């Protein structure tokens, strides 16, 4: 069941790097004077640094659209599509998208740009920094098929950042029922925020509960000194902050840091 991972990413235990897009039209921190040209320029810098550093895939996300929406505006999806469209000829590795925090918008963007996977919150009801956060997985998957995106792989973030399940459920229960009811391609386990370490114990419990047919990825906080331990448990990882200059969330990607990290990953795989 997990053979698709090697088919899509070309390897087992893939590292998906985040390409964090700058604030765009409609976002509070959007640089109106520099415009979308600066957004594209910085995205190009990060894409090339990540690719040349040796990551297995990249995921475009509106990470600087803070504070996030659970119903993403049209202008955000359109702006992200422009960025990916302008960079399309330069993308040499598999890529996905994530419109924070709107699964339907993420699928729309994937269908429009040819992305092979999306990561989102597809299940659960949460008390979050963004208010009461509800989902409807059945509606989302029907939308996926309605727009012809059924081949797009779904990465389910089951421990959303800045949020907590309204019901006090153990991770094993969440993983088991999500697998049974929703048939995810990947379960992603996160820390509290971008850059916060994924708890190895929670990751291990989720992996055991998910069984052998569903992949489990570490979703935040992987570093050069922890990635081997993480990959002993997880089937892959989504990595963002540690690839940036000085390991700081707000900075651009640093090719040398990417390469050093991926050298450790390649050694682990070998």
């Amino acid at each position: 069941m997990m053979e698709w991972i090697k088919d899509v990413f070309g390897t087992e235990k893939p590292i998906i790097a985040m390409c964090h897009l700058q604030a765009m039209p409609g976002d509070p921190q959007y640089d109106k004077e520099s415009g979308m040209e600066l957004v594209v320029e910085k995205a190009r810098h990060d894409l090339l640094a990540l690719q040349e550093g040796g990551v297995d895939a990249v995921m475009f996300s509106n990470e600087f659209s803070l504070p996030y929406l659970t119903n993403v505006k049209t202008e955000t999806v359109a702006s992200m599509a422009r960025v990916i469209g302008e960079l399309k000829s330069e993308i040499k590795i598999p890529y996905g998208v994530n419109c924070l925090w709107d699964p339907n918008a993420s699928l729309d963007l994937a269908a429009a740009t040819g992305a092979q996977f999306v990561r989102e919150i597809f299940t659960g009801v949460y008390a979050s920094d963004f208010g009461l956060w509800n989902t409807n997985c059945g509606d989302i998957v029907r939308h996926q098929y309605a727009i012809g995106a059924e081949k797009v792989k779904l990465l389910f973030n089951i421990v959303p950042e800045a949020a907590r399940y309204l019901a006090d459920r153990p991770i094993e229960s969440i993983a088991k029922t999500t697998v049974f009811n929703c048939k995810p391609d990947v379960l992603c386990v996160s820390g509290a925020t971008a850059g916060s370490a994924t708890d190895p114990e929670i990751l291990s419990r989720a992996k055991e509960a998910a069984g052998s047919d569903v992949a489990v990825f570490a979703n935040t906080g992987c570093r050069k000194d922890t990635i081997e331990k993480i990959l002993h448990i997880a089937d892959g990882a989504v990595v963002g902050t540690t690839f940036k200059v000085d390991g700081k969330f707000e900075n651009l990607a640093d090719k040398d840091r990417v390469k050093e990290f991926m050298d450790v990953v390649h050694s682990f795989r070998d």
Side-chain angles (χ1 to χ4, degrees), residues 172 175-176 202-212 216 233:
E172 292 88 348
K176 285 180 180 178
I202 294 176
L203 185 65
S204 182
R205 287 161 56 196
K207 177 61 183 169
E208 184 175 353
S212 60
V216 174
I233 305 168

Side-chain angles (χ1 to χ4, degrees), residues 1-269:
M1 290 289 289
M2 287 197 289
E3 291 178 0
W4 70 266
I5 291 178
K6 195 164 186 179
D7 292 339
V8 170
F9 299 110
T11 185
E12 297 176 348
K13 307 276 187 176
I15 301 299
I16 302 172
M18 296 303 302
C19 186
H20 290 163
L21 303 186
Q22 300 296 306
M24 293 169 285
D27 294 334
Q29 299 176 50
Y30 177 54
D31 186 341
K32 295 178 182 177
E33 185 174 339
S34 298
M36 280 296 296
E37 286 71 22
L38 181 64
V39 179
V40 174
E41 178 186 330
K42 289 191 172 183
R44 175 176 286 112
H45 172 279
D46 280 4
L47 169 67
L48 296 179
L50 296 167
Q51 281 190 159
E52 292 168 11
V55 301
D56 304 304
V58 67
M59 179 156 49
F60 296 94
S61 174
N62 58 322
E63 208 77 18
F64 291 101
S65 291
L66 291 158
Y68 302 128
L69 296 168
T70 54
N71 185 9
V72 170
K73 302 293 186 181
T74 304
E75 57 265 30
T76 301
V77 183
S79 297
M80 293 181 73
R82 174 183 170 179
V83 173
I84 297 169
E86 290 205 31
L87 299 180
K88 192 75 177 287
S89 64
E90 300 172 66
I91 303 173
K92 307 301 182 186
I93 54 179
Y95 63 96
V97 296
N98 184 194
C99 294
L100 298 162
W101 290 100
D102 187 333
N104 283 330
S106 295
L107 284 165
D108 292 340
L109 182 60
T113 60
Q116 291 146 292
F117 57 93
V118 300
R119 178 193 62 180
E120 255 304 337
I121 309 300
F122 294 102
T123 57
V125 183
Y126 308 89
S128 80
D129 290 350
F130 318 112
L132 187 61
W133 185 351
N134 199 3
T135 60
N136 188 333
C137 190
D139 180 69
I140 295 162
V141 172
R142 283 166 176 80
H143 179 68
Q144 177 189 18
Y145 277 72
I147 63 173
E150 59 268 23
K151 293 184 179 180
V152 175
K153 299 299 183 183
L154 305 184
L155 281 58
F156 281 52
N157 188 350
I158 59 169
V159 187
E161 303 150 46
R164 184 180 180 89
Y165 247 98
L166 285 184
D168 189 14
R169 300 177 62 199
I171 191 66
E172 292 88 348
S173 173
I174 295 169
K176 285 180 180 178
T177 58
T178 301
V179 169
F180 180 82
N181 290 314
C182 304
K183 306 297 187 276
D185 296 300
V186 176
L187 299 180
C188 292
V189 180
S190 307
T193 63
S196 297
T198 302
D199 186 330
E201 188 214 347
I202 294 176
L203 185 65
S204 182
R205 287 161 56 196
K207 177 61 183 169
E208 184 175 353
S212 60
D213 291 338
V214 177
V216 174
F217 285 5
N219 195 47
T220 61
C222 297
R223 303 188 309 271
K224 183 175 70 172
D225 61 329
T226 63
I227 189 59
E228 286 187 279
K229 182 177 181 180
I230 291 294
L231 291 181
H232 271 294
I233 305 168
D235 301 297
V238 180
V239 183
T241 301
T242 200
F243 286 156
K244 299 188 176 191
V245 173
D246 297 328
K248 293 184 177 180
F249 172 77
E250 63 272 16
N251 291 343
L252 293 176
D254 181 338
K255 184 175 70 173
D256 291 336
R257 287 180 68 96
V258 179
K259 188 177 184 305
E260 289 172 4
F261 182 101
M262 291 307 300
D263 284 346
V264 175
V265 172
H266 293 145
S267 177
F268 171 82
R269 290 175 184 160

